[in-house]
Amino acid sequence: MSDIYVLGIESSCDETAAAVVKNGREVLSNIISSQIDIHTLYGGVVPEIASRKHIERINQVVKEALKEAGMEGRKPDVIGVTNGPGLVGPLLIGLSFAKAYAYGLNVPFIGINHIEGHICANYIEDKTLTPPFMCLVVSGGHTHLLRVVDYGKYEILGRTLDDAAGEAFDKIARVMGLGYPGGPKIDMAARDGDSEAVSFPRGHGSGEYDFSFSGLKSAALNYLNSCEMKGESVSVADTAASFEKAVVDVLVENAVKALDQYGDKSFAIAGGVASNSMLRSEMEKACEKRAVRFYRPSPVLCTDNGAMIASAAYFRFMAGERSDLSLNAVADLKI
Ligand code: KG4
Ligand code: ZN
């Protein structure tokens, strides 16, 4: 069978990204133009600014991805593009570009769920990974524990009932003055801290495998406020480590409970927060103890990128799926 080259485009938040992936698993290029510098000035992503930056950059990013992959003079076989969930303005830029490009080249395009893209980063990282496996998706906007029953087929076990894990990291980091995005800053600060120093609650949702981080977020904010009011100094390292441990404990606890119940022998993590060092090491230990094989994408594949979208599109293309030009961006698209 001939090789399939997929161009993947991602613009759901503050990264304009495009990549070429061969046969769903081999990355030929992965270009990411981050807008972090601009949004840092505002302490978070400003949707309108993000949309404008995507418009300015998308042509160049796609061009570079094709060039680096040696695709000059060769059309991609299919174009995969994120059509949700995410910020609707930014999503529309990538989607409109992909539709126009696919139409112009006369190649099919497929709309991809961003969360599915995150999961598929694992197929790129480890070429031997095949369903079924269990996966924890933890990003700035999403926290899902699910089973990948087959390519493109998911059984959701639990999700966050309020804030996503990454959102909680970002909020607490901002209040501590660590800057945006907060996850990597807390990760760094926590390395010198004592994770038992501050006692924070472990929040669970009502469902067996659900998550809830709003209580933890409030407890951390209250702790920081009360220290300030009492004129007590706050150890950034200890607070970061204790907060991080509270998030990781809940994530690992639910994952382990599900592994024990379902008996899956492979477990993967995905999404921006999957690059967190404590989560990676705690989850790895938990898997080792149960003789479960642990998969985790390298950090550049954890955060938003086009390669994960191209990989997801490959498996949908092979299953015969195509999107219609009427496809719209959906801010709260469900997996
Ligand atoms: O997957 P992603 O790039 O975008 C979304 O789909 O939301 O995830 C971004 C999130 C941010 O909240 C960021 O703070 C978090 O991932 N993040 C981390 C780390 N690196 C990124 N959180 C904890 N530890 C990290 N090392
Ligand atoms: Zn993401």
Side-chain angles (χ1 to χ4, degrees):
M1 208 179 67
S2 57
D3 292 325
I4 303 290
Y5 293 80
V6 184
L7 168 66
I9 297 175
E10 155 62 38
S11 70
S12 66
C13 191
D14 59 348
E15 258 103 30
T16 319
V20 177
V21 173
K22 186 175 150 186
N23 300 330
R25 295 188 188 251
E26 189 184 333
V27 179
L28 304 184
S29 64
N30 193 16
I31 307 295
I32 303 166
S33 170
S34 173
Q35 306 174 4
I36 281 177
D37 291 358
I38 304 155
H39 299 292
T40 295
L41 303 173
Y42 305 94
V45 178
V46 183
E48 179 58 24
I49 296 177
S51 301
R52 288 188 208 178
K53 291 293 157 195
H54 285 308
I55 293 178
E56 284 169 20
R57 295 175 180 183
I58 195 155
N59 261 309
Q60 190 56 32
V61 167
V62 170
K63 217 167 160 179
E64 265 181 58
L66 292 169
K67 184 161 179 245
E68 200 179 299
M71 297 283 287
E72 288 122 323
R74 190 195 192 292
K75 295 200 278 194
D77 297 293
V78 54
I79 299 175
V81 59
T82 308
N83 76 307
L87 300 168
V88 76
L91 282 168
L92 277 170
I93 313 301
L95 180 60
S96 308
F97 182 96
K99 281 187 195 176
Y101 200 44
Y103 183 74
L105 291 177
N106 195 25
V107 298
F109 90 99
I110 303 176
I112 295 296
N113 184 304
H114 183 78
I115 302 170
E116 172 166 56
H118 276 303
I119 298 166
C120 291
N122 281 285
Y123 296 134
I124 297 172
E125 187 69 38
D126 192 313
K127 317 248 177 299
T128 65
L129 174 65
T130 52
F133 60 94
M134 193 172 282
C135 186
L136 174 70
V137 190
V138 268
S139 72
H142 314 280
T143 308
H144 283 75
L145 182 63
L146 51 82
R147 295 187 70 234
V148 181
V149 185
D150 199 349
Y151 293 104
K153 293 202 169 55
Y154 307 99
E155 181 188 343
I156 310 292
L157 306 180
R159 54 161 58 90
T160 180
L161 301 179
D162 38 60
D163 299 324
E167 210 174 333
F169 273 114
D170 293 341
K171 175 78 188 187
I172 297 308
R174 187 161 66 196
V175 174
M176 288 202 291
L178 297 177
Y180 172 85
K185 305 269 162 71
I186 292 204
D187 194 344
M188 281 300 285
R191 287 174 199 189
D192 304 318
D194 171 8
S195 62
E196 308 290 326
V198 191
S199 153
F200 287 134
R202 272 59 176 158
H204 295 274
S206 44
E208 196 177 1
Y209 300 112
D210 284 338
F211 305 93
S212 166
F213 294 106
S214 67
L216 167 63
K217 199 175 78 178
S218 303
L221 292 175
N222 286 343
Y223 170 74
L224 292 167
N225 282 337
S226 85
C227 288
E228 195 185 334
M229 271 158 54
K230 287 189 250 167
E232 290 172 7
S233 67
V234 169
S235 159
V236 170
D238 286 350
T239 311
S242 303
F243 179 79
E244 184 178 62
K245 183 75 166 52
V247 174
V248 168
D249 275 356
V250 174
L251 294 173
V252 174
E253 191 187 312
N254 273 10
V256 157
K257 210 172 18 162
L259 274 174
D260 290 344
Q261 173 163 347
Y262 288 88
D264 286 295
K265 284 292 152 212
S266 300
F267 185 91
I269 52 174
V273 183
S275 51
N276 181 267
S277 27
M278 192 190 285
L279 176 62
R280 287 164 95 90
S281 71
E282 294 290 313
M283 207 54 239
E284 184 163 24
K285 273 189 256 167
C287 286
E288 230 171 66
K289 222 166 131 185
R290 289 165 177 76
V292 168
R293 188 148 174 215
F294 180 56
Y295 296 84
R296 75 276 174 279
S298 43
V300 68
L301 290 172
C302 285
T303 41
D304 293 349
N305 64 85
M308 67 186 201
I309 302 302
S311 175
Y314 169 81
F315 292 107
R316 291 208 169 262
F317 178 73
M318 296 310 277
E321 208 173 295
R322 308 288 182 267
S323 289
D324 187 88
L325 284 173
S326 64
L327 185 79
N328 210 344
V330 181
D332 63 348
L333 187 67
K334 301 281 179 285
I335 187 166

